[in-house]
Amino acid sequence: MTADDQVDMTRSQVFGEVAEMYDIVRPGYADALVTEVLAYAALDGQAALEIGAGTGKATLSFAAHGVPLVCIEPDPRMAEVLRRNTAHCRGVRVQSGRFEDWRSDGRRFGLLLAATSWHWVDGERRWDLAHDALAPGGTLALFWNPHGIRDPEVQTVLAEVDRRHGLVGTPHRAPASAYGERPGHWAGAPGWPEEECRRDGRFTDLRAVRFREHRHYATDRYLALLASTSAYRVLSPDRRERVLAETGRVLDARGGGIDMDHFSDLLLARRPA
């Protein structure tokens, strides 16, 4: 494991520190995205495997459509909330651990989904693991929900706050208008896996789709959202408190909230039958 891998693993495991807050403030995914995935997958009763399921932001939407799910979540604190949230879902089974360490015992799935979690999976192994987990003809669905600030002036001020505090990878890197129209066009941020999937060569029928919606956050809720993200979780508590307090003052001076564009970007691919 490289030093970069260790940093990524550390960042991927900070969410459990605030699992309850994460569950409350993190946005879910567009209903139209779930419909798109299920229409493409045509599961016909086959089960789905979800990697990095978190507290169930995507899980519950798929379970509501009657999809049986095996959910893998590496952080036991997140998995505890996930079990509570899905206790009423008869077809959902939660397993604690990393996808890299998971054993299928020969079972194959009609759908493998990763909701804002694919980038945490070992880059050298994830395509092999996904291919092996899918039944012939099975669907790979990878999706994220990035968001950008609608007001360019507010974005510029908040980006300067981040710069002063040494933050990177926050929603303040660019205004919503910089995200363009194409799925995976994330204002210069890396991570969209389409080209990597094409280079792997074992998946076909690639399809990329974007869904977009406007949301308004009051100051307190937006600060809680920021505090649940890895860029802020890796800060020391006092440093995190300072940058969030300054961010809050910016928003309060501009009416006590912020308007965001939320994108649900989806990549679909299929293991050939």
Side-chain angles (χ1 to χ4, degrees), residues 78-234:
M78 300 287 275
E80 181 180 353
V81 178
L82 176 61
R83 289 189 179 95
R84 185 188 69 211
N85 286 344
T86 59
H88 65 287
C89 303
R90 295 181 59 187
V92 175
R93 183 158 58 92
V94 178
Q95 297 183 353
S96 296
R98 299 170 64 234
F99 184 40
E100 293 88 337
D101 302 323
W102 176 75
R103 295 291 179 268
S104 69
D105 296 326
R107 187 177 185 186
R108 297 292 180 265
F109 295 82
L111 169 65
L112 186 150
L113 62 99
T116 316
S117 62
W118 183 249
H119 54 293
W120 298 124
V121 182
D122 183 348
E124 295 184 358
R125 300 180 57 203
R126 55 192 173 203
W127 298 102
D128 291 336
L129 293 169
H131 184 270
D132 291 346
L134 285 170
T139 293
L140 177 65
L142 311 176
F143 46 99
W144 287 259
N145 55 359
H147 38 277
I149 299 169
R150 302 193 83 183
D151 187 330
E153 180 183 344
V154 174
Q155 179 270 322
T156 298
V157 175
L158 292 181
E160 176 59 23
V161 172
D162 289 350
R163 188 195 65 77
R164 286 198 300 272
H165 290 271
L167 267 76
V168 296
T170 77
H172 311 146
R173 69 171 69 89
S177 59
Y179 281 72
E181 299 300 325
R182 293 180 287 106
H185 188 175
W186 295 339
W192 183 244
E194 185 170 357
E195 288 305 313
E196 194 175 272
C197 184
R198 292 187 189 280
R199 288 196 302 270
D200 179 83
R202 288 176 291 179
F203 298 88
T204 63
D205 193 20
L206 272 66
R207 187 182 307 174
V209 188
R210 164 168 285 183
F211 306 91
R212 181 174 186 158
E213 63 180 340
H214 165 250
R215 294 190 186 184
H216 176 81
Y217 290 90
T219 297
D220 287 349
R221 188 170 182 85
Y222 187 64
L223 296 182
L225 173 64
L226 293 179
S228 75
T229 65
S230 62
Y232 291 82
R233 295 314 313 160
V234 297

Side-chain angles (χ1 to χ4, degrees), residues 217-258:
Y217 290 90
T219 297
D220 287 349
R221 188 170 182 85
Y222 187 64
L223 296 182
L225 173 64
L226 293 179
S228 75
T229 65
S230 62
Y232 291 82
R233 295 314 313 160
V234 297
L235 300 176
S236 64
D238 60 334
R239 188 176 168 203
R240 182 167 58 246
E241 183 177 348
R242 288 196 301 272
V243 66
L244 289 175
E246 187 171 350
T247 300
R249 289 193 291 272
V250 170
L251 299 187
D252 284 342
R254 288 165 170 77
I258 191 168

